[in-house]
Amino acid sequence: MPPRDPPLVEREVDLASLVAALARPPAVVVVEGERGAGKTRLVREALAAPGLEGRQPLVGHSRPTLASCPLGPVIEALATASRPPVRPLSALAGVLRTVLPELAAILPPAPPPVPEPQLVRHRLVRASAELLAKLGPTILVLEDVQWGDAATVELIRMIGARPPPELSIVITCEPPAALPELGLGTTRLSIPPLSPAGAGRLACAILGDPETVLPTGVADLLYERSGGVPFVVREDVRMLRQHDLLRPVNGAWTLGPGAETAVPPAVGAMIAARLRSLDATGTAVLEAAAVLAGSAEPELVARVAGLSTGRTCAALGDAMRRGLLRDHGPDGGTVRFRHELARLAVYESVPGYRRRGLHAIAAQVLTAAGGALRVRAVDHHRRAGDLRAWAASAEAAAEAALAAGAFGTAHSWLRDVLQAGAVAPERRAEVAVKLGRAALGAADPGGTTSGLLAEVAEAASPEQRAELLLLRLWSALESDGPADGAATALRDALGGLVRRPGLRAIAHALLATPTRLPGLDLAAQKAHLDRARTALTETGDPMAHAVVRTATAHLLLATGGPEGWAAARAVPVHGDRPEIERRLARGLLDLAESALHLGHYTRGLDLAERARRPASGAPSPAFDTRLRAVVARIRWTTGDCGAEDDVGVLSGDPFASGLPNLRLLSAQIDAGQGRLDAARRTLRAVAEEACETGDLAVAAQAAAEFNRVALTLEQRRLGHALARQVLDGVARKGVWVWAAPLLPFAPLDLVREVLPRYRGAVADRDAPLARAALGFAEARMSERYGDAGWAAAGYRRARRGYAVLPDPRLAAHACAGEARARISAGQVPDAEPLRHAWSTFTGLGAVWDANRLKQTMRAAGLPVPHRRGRPGYGNQLSPREREIAVLAASGHTNRDIAAGLYLSDRTVKYHLANAMRKLGVSSRRQLGDVLEPADRSDHTCRCGRCGRELNLS
């Protein structure tokens, strides 16, 4: 990390108060704050403030090792005096010659010595006060006075009682410091820790990369580790970055494995120094508190430490005074470490054998306490090395967590128990069933849970095997993982559920999931749904009823069936158990996404809001992230610019990396803003992966966007292959409404091939997006065959259809198509809709699309609109000037640049002339010499005229 100081954060008011006090001598200012709060930095910034230039700063530090040295910090400060006294010194000042030989030239001769040590000290104090009073405008800074000696405290009292007119004193200390009364004019500044937002801003400043987002979850963890202490934040962030434990991933800072337990050396040394100042009782109490982790009642700490409650409370109070612990809880009845790094530093200082023993004691104490504390015993059993006790306690805690709706916690415990082989063979299937139920909706990185369920199913009874395979498919469907293999295995094992109608109904309902099982066509899935309804008549299981009800609505709505909305309204919002609430929330979110694919955007937002309500009773971070991604995509599609900010926030979410909706939306934003290479890479990956998982509506949107931004011959070939793959999948499934995003941009030979089937399939569907897309596709075909009048009319109908949804971007694209058709017919297109379309693109940040539309307007001879209120860049290159300068320096002509960026030749000349003027060059060859290497690297030509794809590095 760079060694420079980061900016002050949340200290502006304190800095202004300190500067104002020092500017009006005489002044005494006490700056209080815990170690690392930034007291020294605050004083240093104040001394450099305008208006204090003529004052001589003298800085001295108190240290524990100098506590027996009279006036140690004052002598250190006076030794740096750079100018002589402004008034003559008395003979008394000569006593300073023995301690300040540096100032011998300005001090009078030493007076006769006195025998009594008290008189020696008193003379030194008086002489120091006199010298300070006669040095002229001076600011004396005494740091860390909590360690100051008695003589220093006496001097502070003396000056505070009668401050010299040209002297200002700044005293920094940690509370509670035993400072004397300093008079009525004393200014006291208390420096608190940073707020969570302030700690996040400081971390961003230290990281120094404004293009990379610090997600809320990462910022919260950094705050928990540091407690908002600026010094700790700085050391922690620098250490994590230096060891690559905090790294940028997809535009967001992400914590890597091992980050949670890493301790910065400087912070560890600070905590170790405080720990050494404690007696044996204090050390034992802190070690017990570090092992217990979190917050703990003094009685628990006493039992783990093996001490009486009275001695423990006394030691805890001492540790709080030293800044190691703090009160916690509404009534202060529990204690907690000042911050997590302090706890980790103490924990790491405990020898390994002693840590294991303390964990064993903690497990016994917490188990005996019962209630919620038994859950905390699970980790202590594991850390103590007692595998059997750990497995038993983890299973019991998981059952309690399941009953409370804490599915992620239960899932982690049960998965770890099965992976560790800590369960007897005859009980593995029983525990695996619990794991499968806990895993529903949980993230399953690497398919660990799915693999465990499949492994245990191999050795289970037919009935248990069928249930485990059912849970495996269910988990795959709810975690957005590959599900086709799990569906095949379940179909083969359905016979094991003959005597369990509730599970049989759930199994058939899951096999009717329309968007995730590409191996099953619509007819087969309708048959499974019929079997699910039949099985439902044999059971009163509320979970089975919830699953079949949501599956029915999903299949009907996703395919555009008019009866789908009645089925959606029949899905309740709340259930009588957490696991049913979770199922209903997931079902409602599936319906919201189906509404998005149909073009019912307002209804989609309503369904997402209904999904949010039951989810609040059974929280799941993975579910919440998916819900926010679906909502962001609906908002972005309808023209809400704030959705792009949501994408930036979500990009750093640990559960967001695999979400197709979020990746698709990020690529759409990249494409609109002209970052075409990045957009094409993501769009291709999303289209291929979504085809594989059966999410064909998402695949169609990704393939459509890829074809829209395919410029070179190779890109168009790849776009053709992607469109073919999606349309083949749609044809096999039989749900043609999912092809709606693709028809406006797919290659025309594919559109001609599927258009008759598409037209017939969507005729009776409640799918406004599909109808608008049909008009767009028919207009394209009319334009292709030279019927410009029909094409213009078709584009106009499509524009109106998209506007009603609303989908302003597609409405603008249809407007561009209408203008293109009119130009082909020799007509002049209406300028007003085109200006509105251009305003739509620019207002939504789709600069690349706006530039393409301007080319169409130029071709029609229409006035080209211009953006107003552009930001000024002064002598710095604007982004457009820099882009054009890089291309020009790489040998591209103005004509190539204009064609590739969809600009006029005149605009290119204008930006290039500005860039050359700002850079002080007169030729293209000189541009390459003055541009930074970072400007010229990894730049890809987007020349639409020549079709080249050249890396200019």
Side-chain angles (χ1 to χ4, degrees), residues 596-883:
L596 163 65
H597 298 151
L598 295 174
H600 287 293
Y601 302 131
T602 302
R603 287 178 169 183
L605 290 174
D606 291 342
L607 286 165
E609 184 57 34
R610 288 178 63 196
R612 196 189 306 273
R613 278 179 277 168
S616 63
S620 164
F623 174 86
D624 181 63
T625 302
R626 182 185 166 222
L627 186 148
R628 290 162 63 197
V630 171
V631 169
R633 219 187 122 201
I634 296 175
R635 290 178 56 206
W636 184 86
T637 302
T638 58
D640 186 341
C641 295
E644 294 190 17
D645 296 331
D646 295 342
V647 173
V649 173
L650 282 168
S651 62
D653 192 305
F655 299 100
S657 58
L659 287 179
N661 270 311
L662 187 62
R663 294 167 63 203
L664 169 61
L665 182 50
S666 297
Q668 289 177 296
I669 293 171
D670 283 342
Q673 296 178 354
R675 297 186 289 270
L676 302 188
D677 293 333
R680 282 190 288 261
R681 284 193 298 271
T682 303
L683 291 168
R684 177 182 180 180
V686 170
E688 291 174 344
E689 293 167 17
C691 279
E692 183 179 350
T693 61
D695 203 348
L696 294 171
V698 170
Q701 184 71 67
E705 291 289 339
F706 187 97
N707 277 275
R708 189 174 69 82
V709 297
L711 301 179
T712 67
L713 179 60
E714 181 58 33
Q715 290 164 5
R716 288 193 287 271
R717 286 173 178 167
L718 180 55
H720 190 286
L722 289 175
R724 167 64 74 186
Q725 185 180 3
V726 172
L727 291 172
D728 286 348
V730 168
R732 285 193 299 271
K733 177 67 76 170
V735 185
W736 281 99
V737 293
W738 293 344
L742 187 52
L743 291 191
F745 304 107
L748 283 171
D749 63 314
L750 296 180
V751 175
R752 181 177 60 249
E753 180 182 326
V754 304
L755 192 55
R757 280 182 291 173
Y758 178 87
R759 186 185 293 112
V762 304
D764 63 344
R765 301 288 89 183
D766 185 3
L769 179 63
R771 289 195 298 273
L774 176 61
F776 203 121
E778 290 175 335
R780 292 183 68 200
M781 295 307 302
S782 296
E783 184 180 7
R784 172 68 178 82
Y785 290 119
D787 196 338
W790 278 102
Y795 284 125
R796 187 164 55 253
R797 287 193 299 272
R799 170 164 59 89
R800 292 168 178 167
Y802 286 125
V804 169
L805 297 180
D807 189 332
R809 288 177 183 82
L810 281 174
H813 283 298
C815 182
E818 180 183 354
R820 196 172 54 244
R822 289 189 179 279
I823 293 170
S824 298
Q827 302 172 4
V828 177
D830 188 352
E832 185 55 35
L834 285 173
R835 278 196 294 268
H836 179 74
W838 181 86
S839 298
T840 297
F841 284 137
T842 54
L844 296 175
V847 179
W848 189 74
D849 293 309
N851 287 334
R852 295 184 71 180
L853 185 59
K854 284 169 71 172
Q855 291 285 64
T856 301
M857 297 176 74
R858 286 193 189 97
L862 296 174
V864 176
H866 299 282
R867 297 190 68 176
R868 295 291 183 265
R870 293 185 56 184
Y873 294 92
N875 290 325
Q876 302 295 316
L877 297 184
S878 71
R880 179 64 85 189
E881 289 166 353
R882 186 176 302 279
E883 181 177 33

Side-chain angles (χ1 to χ4, degrees), residues 200-561:
R201 291 200 299 274
L202 178 58
C204 289
I206 295 168
L207 291 166
D209 184 357
E211 299 299 322
T212 304
V213 177
L214 185 68
T216 303
V218 176
D220 290 345
L221 184 56
L222 292 175
Y223 180 79
E224 182 183 347
R225 285 169 59 84
S226 66
V229 180
F231 168 77
V232 181
V233 174
R234 183 189 69 195
E235 294 299 317
D236 192 29
V237 171
R238 287 179 173 173
M239 180 271 300
L240 292 171
R241 189 72 188 98
Q242 182 179 1
H243 293 86
D244 201 31
L245 297 174
L246 182 62
R247 60 178 75 104
V249 177
N250 295 327
W253 291 108
T254 304
L255 289 170
E260 291 82 358
T261 57
V263 179
V267 177
M270 180 178 72
I271 300 301
R274 298 188 191 184
L275 197 58
R276 286 193 296 270
S277 68
L278 301 175
D279 59 16
T281 299
T283 302
V285 166
L286 272 192
E287 289 177 349
V291 166
L292 280 167
S295 59
E297 294 81 358
E299 294 78 9
L300 284 177
V301 178
R303 291 177 197 168
V304 175
L307 298 168
S308 68
T309 302
R311 292 178 65 191
T312 299
C313 288
L316 291 173
D318 185 40
M320 281 190 278
R321 285 189 293 274
R322 296 174 188 272
L324 288 164
L325 297 176
R326 59 185 172 91
D327 284 326
H328 189 64
D331 56 355
T334 60
V335 294
R336 192 183 187 97
F337 274 87
R338 175 64 188 83
H339 45 72
E340 178 62 10
L341 284 175
R343 187 194 74 81
L344 288 171
V346 174
Y347 184 82
E348 292 298 326
S349 72
V350 183
Y353 71 90
R354 178 162 169 74
R355 278 207 303 264
R356 287 190 295 274
L358 288 172
H359 278 298
I361 296 171
Q364 294 171 4
V365 170
L366 292 168
T367 302
L373 292 177
R374 292 191 63 182
V375 174
R376 293 176 57 184
V378 176
D379 189 56
H380 292 291
H381 281 301
R382 181 176 64 83
R383 292 179 181 271
D386 190 342
L387 190 64
R388 181 174 297 178
W390 165 63
S393 64
E395 188 177 350
E399 290 177 353
L402 282 172
F407 303 106
T409 302
H411 172 250
S412 298
W413 279 330
L414 294 169
R415 181 193 59 208
D416 292 347
V417 166
L418 278 176
Q419 279 185 305
V423 180
E426 63 273 13
R427 294 197 63 247
R428 280 181 65 80
E430 177 187 345
V431 176
V433 167
K434 296 178 183 178
L435 170 64
R437 293 189 176 277
L440 299 178
D444 186 20
T448 304
T449 299
S450 179
L452 278 172
L453 295 176
E455 175 192 333
V456 176
E458 292 297 323
S461 66
E463 187 171 302
Q464 285 178 323
R465 180 173 184 272
E467 183 173 6
L468 288 170
L469 293 176
L470 160 63
L471 291 170
R472 180 188 173 207
L473 172 61
W474 201 348
S475 176
L477 290 173
E478 296 217 353
S479 64
D480 294 317
D484 246 10
T488 301
L490 177 59
R491 288 202 305 272
D492 294 341
L494 279 173
L497 299 177
V498 171
R499 294 182 297 177
R500 304 188 67 178
L503 289 181
R504 194 167 74 250
I506 292 173
H508 284 297
L510 295 178
L511 290 170
T513 303
T515 55
R516 295 296 314 290
L517 300 173
L520 291 171
D521 61 25
L522 184 58
Q525 292 190 302
K526 287 181 176 179
H528 278 297
L529 188 59
D530 290 339
R531 296 187 191 106
R533 290 165 172 163
T534 300
L536 202 61
T537 62
E538 304 173 33
T539 179
D541 180 7
M543 175 60 83
H545 280 265
V547 172
V548 173
R549 180 171 287 182
T550 55
T552 300
H554 190 196
L555 184 66
L556 293 174
L557 196 61
T559 58

